[in-house]
Amino acid sequence: MCRSASRLFAIAIWVFFSATLSAEEMRADPDNYKRQISRLKPGDTLLFSPGVYRQGLFINGRNGSPGKPITLAGGGGRPIFLARPGQDTVVLHDSSHITLRNLEIDGRGVMVNGVRASGNFAHHIVLEDLFIHNLGRHQQVVGISSKCPAWDWQVRRNIVIGAGTGMYFGNSDGNHPFWGGLIENNLVMNTIGYNLQIKHQNPRPRLPGMPLEWPVPRRILGRGTQSGLEPCARTQDAGAVNSGRA
């Protein structure tokens, strides 16, 4: 009995340390960051050195797992990602369990979005402490946008200044639903159009891993005059400073 218990304990310790050691903390700079992104796996953290990144941030098919998100963050200061024509600056494409933290996104007045989710899904996404600015070329240029089925997002402590629209979740035709998200303690200023808009939603698609129901959302408390939330968005107010669950 004692021998079996000791064996089980040894196996548990081995599994714990194997899981711990399998997650890596990597460093990136403007020269190697694309290569580093291609290596990311569940639980990894990629720290960007301060500097100017001119080729955008394209996260394609990167998927963490529950309890093991893939984190991309500024290390020792915010790295600056510069917009360039023809491609949104930060793209989350068919990706999940991703955390973006402490990044600066300079739209440079170019006709592209700051952060945009695309593809077939983007779920369990965390956007924290982002500084997004200079996206005021047109009202359709958005600071943070989802253009695919998106669920379980956390959007907090971000600053969006001078965008056409601050945050825009969903699509004008009711497709690309956004739900189960938490949006809190963000500052959105000097937009041409809305600070925050969550679109109405058609019946949601059935996707692998997608929960069918969430608890009743808590009421949003906020201030501002440029929030736009449509009747089926299950949300009430947002504004320059916002807090709540969609």
Side-chain angles (χ1 to χ4, degrees):
M1 184 70 177
C2 291
R3 183 176 299 175
S4 298
S6 299
R7 184 176 300 167
L8 289 173
F9 179 75
I11 292 173
I13 293 294
W14 179 83
V15 169
F16 172 79
F17 280 106
S18 295
T20 303
L21 293 173
S22 65
E24 294 185 66
E25 182 177 286
M26 297 183 284
R27 298 274 174 177
D29 57 42
D31 295 325
N32 72 357
Y33 75 101
K34 287 188 173 183
R35 183 169 63 253
Q36 296 290 68
I37 289 172
S38 69
R39 297 175 49 202
L40 291 171
K41 61 185 183 301
D44 284 352
T45 297
L46 182 61
L47 298 176
F48 294 96
S49 300
V52 177
Y53 295 72
R54 302 178 184 276
Q55 298 301 312
L57 181 55
F58 187 52
I59 302 169
N60 182 23
R62 296 289 102 187
N63 294 281
S65 60
K68 292 185 177 182
I70 295 172
T71 300
L72 301 94
R78 282 195 181 108
I80 303 171
F81 288 86
L82 297 182
R84 65 197 196 283
Q87 178 64 62
D88 295 328
T89 306
V90 177
V91 176
L92 295 159
H93 186 86
D94 289 344
S95 295
S96 65
H97 295 278
I98 302 291
T99 295
L100 301 181
R101 181 182 298 123
N102 196 34
L103 309 177
E104 179 175 345
I105 299 161
D106 184 350
R108 300 174 60 225
V110 178
M111 192 70 183
V112 298
N113 299 304
V115 179
R116 185 173 187 263
S118 64
N120 296 308
F121 62 84
H123 63 86
H124 293 88
I125 304 297
V126 178
L127 306 178
E128 291 182 336
D129 302 314
L130 306 181
F131 177 38
I132 303 170
H133 60 101
N134 201 12
L135 289 92
R137 177 76 174 269
H138 191 278
Q139 184 172 339
Q140 292 185 350
V141 180
V142 185
I144 299 173
S145 173
S146 64
K147 284 295 177 285
C148 64
W151 66 92
D152 273 316
W153 282 40
Q154 298 179 39
V155 183
R156 63 167 63 93
R157 298 192 308 271
N158 302 293
I159 298 173
V160 182
I161 299 177
T165 297
M167 301 181 188
Y168 189 103
F169 298 110
N171 199 48
S172 59
D173 62 3
N175 293 322
H176 307 318
F178 175 87
W179 73 103
L182 178 65
I183 303 169
E184 62 180 357
N185 301 324
N186 299 282
L187 175 64
V188 183
M189 297 176 59
N190 302 333
T191 57
I192 297 172
Y194 294 111
N195 287 340
L196 166 64
Q197 189 167 37
I198 301 175
K199 301 303 293 184
H200 71 282
Q201 299 180 13
N202 296 330
R204 296 168 183 160
R206 297 292 183 91
L207 298 173
M210 183 190 77
L212 298 181
E213 294 183 358
W214 273 265
V216 175
R218 63 186 172 90
R219 180 184 296 266
I220 281 184
L221 303 174
R223 297 190 300 274
T225 59
Q226 291 175 285
S227 58
L229 297 155
E230 302 196 6
C232 296
R234 303 197 307 162
T235 313
Q236 292 187 350
D237 193 346
V241 179
N242 55 73
S243 174
R245 184 177 294 275

